[in-house]
Amino acid sequence: MIVEMRTYQTKPGMRTRFVEIFEARTRPEHDRLGMRIAGPFLSVEDPDTFFFMRGFPDIERRETMKAGFYEGDLWKEELEEVLMPMLENYDVVVVDDPEGRIAW
């Protein structure tokens, strides 16, 4: 499995709203497309930071599944213009989990 480890820092005071939208709108679409989500996990040290993992069966399907989300109507017509302005920055690290250590 290929896993993206994603850390997001929202603009001050925006984390709660971002996570609400993530749970209500983003997660169901990821589920529909077959992407696994673990999290979000809220930082206890920074009230504007959270982390989640996004899993894919393999590297090839990662690209296809991501395209299905980011080129889809939900992202293009609704979420991109709402969520992106809430972010200060984000970081993504892509790792391989060939032994299945991450329990979904």
Side-chain angles (χ1 to χ4, degrees):
M1 176 164 282
I2 300 299
V3 179
E4 293 177 346
M5 299 186 172
R6 305 178 67 90
T7 302
Y8 284 54
Q9 182 184 25
T10 63
K11 292 182 179 166
M14 300 300 299
R15 181 177 76 178
T16 298
R17 183 68 185 133
F18 191 104
V19 170
E20 288 171 351
I21 296 168
F22 177 88
E23 291 288 5
R25 305 293 289 143
T26 302
R27 182 187 293 272
E29 184 67 2
H30 278 67
D31 289 343
R32 188 185 74 75
L33 293 168
M35 290 182 269
R36 294 181 172 180
I37 299 286
F41 304 100
L42 307 181
S43 172
V44 297
E45 297 178 325
D46 182 344
D48 300 315
T49 298
F50 70 97
F51 167 84
F52 72 98
M53 293 182 287
R54 183 163 70 174
F56 306 88
D58 53 51
I59 197 75
E60 293 80 20
R61 284 186 275 184
R62 174 179 176 251
E63 295 306 318
T64 303
M65 294 168 118
K66 281 178 44 179
F69 181 75
Y70 292 112
E71 294 173 14
D73 290 343
L74 178 64
W75 178 255
K76 287 290 187 188
E77 296 175 10
E78 180 183 338
L79 296 178
E80 183 176 26
E81 66 187 36
V82 173
L83 294 178
M84 293 308 291
M86 291 185 195
L87 289 179
E88 194 70 48
N89 61 58
Y90 67 94
D91 186 49
V92 179
V93 176
V94 180
V95 300
D96 191 5
D97 182 26
E99 297 173 11
R101 291 182 178 163
I102 299 171
W104 298 96

